[in-house]
């Protein structure tokens, strides 16, 4: 077992995650877990590339985008990615898969559980935030701009409710 993978297992155990261990053909190991967000369920993959000393967090969306909506979803992802601070969305135009990816190159340094925690939480939060926009395109026939506007309107409504509750 590699050093990066050991740290991933340590974090999963500390944070009480259920997971399965898997192995790539080259011997690198990864884990799979399920996560239920407020907007959807996701698959979480922690992937340790020991030879190149890079650690990846992937969050897989629970749907394949229908072919007729792939250009609109591609535009949506491009618009979202422009402002992201940690990680990015990836979209496979061939099969409609969407995933969120955060990674860190730790060559010459050490991966610690706090780094994994921060990457995972940012990835899950961002995925959960934007999955409704993908659904608006795929099942509501909205454009990318309309789908983002819909999210913006809902978040403004939440802010108003929270402000009124605080006062």
């Amino acid at each position: 077992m590699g050093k990066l993978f050991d740290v991933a297992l340590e974090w999963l155990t500390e944070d009480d995650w259920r997971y399965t261990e898997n192995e790539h053909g080259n011997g690198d190991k990864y884990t799979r877990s399920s996560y239920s967000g407020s907007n959807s369920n996701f698959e979480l993959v922690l992937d340790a590339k020991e030879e190149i000393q890079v650690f990846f967090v992937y969050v897989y969306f629970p749907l394949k985008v229908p072919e007729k909506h792939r250009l609109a979803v591609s535009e949506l992802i491009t618009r979202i990615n422009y402002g992201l601070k940690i990680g990015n969305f990836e979209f496979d135009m061939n099969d409609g898969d969407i995933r969120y990816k955060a990674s860190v190159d730790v060559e010459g340094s050490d991966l610690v559980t706090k780094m994994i925690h921060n990457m995972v939480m940012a990835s899950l939060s961002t995925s959960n935030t934007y999955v409704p926009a993908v659904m608006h395109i795929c099942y509501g026939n909205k454009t990318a701009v309309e789908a983002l506007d819909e999210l913006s309107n809902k978040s403004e409504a939440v802010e108003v409710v929270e402000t009124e509750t605080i006062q």
Side-chain angles (χ1 to χ4, degrees), residues 20-138:
T20 59
E21 293 182 36
N22 303 278
E23 189 172 314
H24 295 290
N26 66 356
D28 282 337
K29 296 183 184 261
Y30 64 99
T31 65
R32 288 188 181 276
S33 304
S34 295
Y35 174 77
S36 294
S38 57
N39 293 319
S40 187
N41 296 322
F42 300 95
E43 182 177 9
L44 173 68
V45 173
L46 305 182
D47 196 354
K49 305 290 187 196
E50 302 291 346
E51 186 175 321
I52 60 170
Q53 291 291 286
V54 177
F55 185 78
F56 295 89
V57 171
Y58 293 106
V59 175
Y60 288 87
F61 276 46
L63 77 148
K64 287 190 181 287
V65 175
E67 193 168 346
K68 67 182 180 180
H69 296 296
R70 290 183 187 165
L71 283 177
V73 169
S74 178
E75 178 187 347
L76 173 73
I77 287 172
T78 299
R79 290 176 180 279
I80 294 168
N81 277 341
Y82 183 75
L84 294 177
K85 306 276 186 272
I86 298 174
N88 62 283
F89 283 103
E90 297 180 330
F91 179 49
D92 187 329
M93 291 288 287
N94 293 320
D95 67 9
D97 281 340
I98 299 174
R99 67 183 182 188
Y100 191 85
K101 177 185 77 181
S103 60
V104 62
D105 181 339
V106 294
E107 183 179 7
S109 187
D110 291 317
L111 180 67
V112 296
T113 58
K114 183 64 175 170
M115 293 165 72
I116 294 174
H117 176 82
N118 291 346
M119 291 168 62
V120 167
M121 293 303 117
S123 299
L124 290 171
S125 175
T126 304
S127 296
N128 192 60
T129 296
Y130 288 105
V131 72
V134 174
M135 299 298 193
H136 288 314
I137 290 172
C138 293

